[in-house]
Amino acid sequence: MGEPPSPRAAHAAAAVGNMVVVQGGIGPAGLASEDLHVLDFTDMERPRWHRVLVQGAGPSARYAHTLSLVANRFLVAMGGNDGKSTLGDAWALDTSEKPYQWRKIVDAGEMPCPRMYATAAARSDGLLLLCGGRDVHGTPLADAYGFARHRDGRWEWHAAPGSMPSGRYQHGAVFVGTRLHISGGAVGGGRMVDESTSTVMLDTSGGAWITPAPGTLSGEDVTRRCRHAVTSVGPFVFIYGGLKGSQLLDDLLLADDAGGAELTICDPRAPAWSQYLNSVHGSANAAQMLAEAAAAEAAVAAAVASRSNSQGGSTEQSEATDRVMSSPSRDES
């Protein structure tokens, strides 16, 4: 319902309360507009699309960028590609101030180099971590940068110590507490990161990179993928789908970080996850409902892929209202 965005891929999205904000991307006609679109789930039975009006200049039309909600208040867009070059700019929009307007962030310390297909994940205290990506020469990056807003309104970049064991782009990253879990990624030429380094963790409390020891991850080659979805629920990390070479994946991986150290991949139907989910939702059927929903989603995805193939498929270039985004305000020191 409402005013949905145009068909697109390689866009960026961020959750803001009970809404999802979508920006940019590339579609059949080229770059999508830079407009912000919001899918509002206030009424779960009738989700509705809005186009958000923003005053003044903002991030140009682009794809392969990042969009994150920082400190439950600021939407931050970074990097990407505008069809002409790889970008290294950063913009912030204060969702607590109306009319909405983007502000370009400049003079913010040690800014990262331009990149596309990076990941950005926000820690619960408002620290944003930009990780990896592909630079202007197409080289996979192995660095990470922290980004935070001071109480006086200044934004500041800081390079994280060390680097990932292997550069990558089109990977996934999500926080569990102070630990940033990074999974999968591509290295170019249709190749994925090596199995031995496909999963890595940055412990932001200690400033150390950790690679799981051999045998920690069950199953072979399970996390070698790119363009997948990743999120966390409590101590659990969920990894869904993605690409492995030319293979389109529809599996669901569950990783348990309850030990606070190395990531352990396990079966989503495992008793530990079922017990956690049931306790949170107060339903003995919650885990089964999740499994059924995942199966239904996979069936729909397969049907869409089948129709797309029968129509010849498509290609990608180079690889609202005032309350729509209102959210609690909180600054970081």
Side-chain angles (χ1 to χ4, degrees):
M1 297 181 63
E3 186 180 356
S6 60
R8 62 190 67 191
H11 50 286
V16 181
N18 54 7
M19 290 158 282
V20 177
V21 182
V22 175
Q23 198 267 344
I26 189 168
L31 290 174
S33 73
E34 64 269 30
D35 294 344
L36 287 177
H37 296 268
V38 168
L39 181 57
D40 189 348
F41 286 96
T42 300
D43 183 350
M44 291 295 294
E45 300 298 323
R46 296 168 62 85
R48 187 175 185 85
W49 283 103
H50 305 274
R51 185 170 64 88
V52 180
L53 297 178
V54 181
Q55 289 191 353
S60 59
R62 62 187 64 197
Y63 69 100
H65 55 302
T66 68
L67 183 69
S68 309
L69 181 68
V70 177
N72 285 332
R73 176 176 170 183
F74 299 95
L75 277 175
V76 177
M78 296 184 290
N81 191 295
D82 63 2
K84 300 177 182 178
S85 61
T86 300
L87 306 171
D89 54 350
W91 298 75
L93 183 150
D94 190 341
T95 64
S96 70
E97 292 184 357
K98 302 178 181 64
Y100 299 126
Q101 51 187 319
W102 288 102
R103 292 182 174 85
K104 189 172 183 179
I105 299 170
V106 296
D107 299 326
E110 188 180 357
M111 294 189 66
C113 68
R115 65 192 63 205
M116 57 191 295
Y117 293 121
T119 59
R123 205 169 63 181
S124 60
D125 63 357
L127 176 68
L128 185 69
L129 256 292
L130 179 71
C131 178
R134 193 175 74 192
D135 70 10
V136 295
H137 305 293
T139 303
L141 299 168
D143 56 2
Y145 285 81
F147 193 48
R149 185 179 187 271
H150 295 279
R151 292 188 182 278
D152 61 6
R154 291 180 299 112
W155 290 90
E156 188 172 13
W157 287 102
H158 280 287
S163 60
M164 285 185 286
S166 174
R168 67 194 70 198
Y169 59 92
Q170 296 177 342
H171 49 294
V174 66
F175 268 106
V176 175
T178 60
R179 296 175 296 281
L180 180 70
H181 292 284
I182 300 164
S183 58
V187 296
R191 296 177 294 116
M192 304 293 104
V193 291
D194 292 338
E195 182 181 357
S196 61
T197 58
S198 64
T199 301
V200 64
M201 181 182 73
L202 174 60
D203 184 352
T204 59
S205 63
W209 291 93
I210 300 172
T211 300
T216 300
L217 302 181
S218 60
E220 293 185 5
D221 214 23
V222 291
T223 57
R224 290 186 67 224
R225 61 187 66 206
C226 65
R227 301 194 182 196
H228 50 291
V230 59
T231 191
S232 62
V233 179
F236 297 100
V237 176
F238 291 88
I239 301 171
Y240 178 77
L243 285 170
K244 182 179 294 183
S246 61
Q247 181 185 4
L248 183 63
L249 305 173
D250 64 353
D251 56 346
L252 174 66
L253 303 179
L254 170 63
D256 186 0
D257 183 45
E262 296 166 339
L263 205 62
T264 301
I265 303 294
C266 56
D267 190 329
R269 295 164 296 184
W273 163 242
S274 298
Q275 291 170 9
Y276 176 85
L277 186 65
N278 293 339
S279 67
V280 169
H281 292 278
S283 169
N285 298 320
Q288 179 61 30
M289 292 168 62
L290 176 68
E292 293 174 354
E297 182 181 8
V300 171
V304 171
S306 177
R307 288 198 299 269
S308 176
N309 290 337
S310 67
Q311 296 171 359
S314 61
T315 59
E316 172 188 285
Q317 291 182 5
S318 180
E319 286 245 323
T321 59
D322 279 351
R323 72 168 187 80
V324 163
M325 295 191 300
S326 59
S327 60
S329 170
R330 181 179 66 178
D331 281 359
E332 296 304 312
S333 58

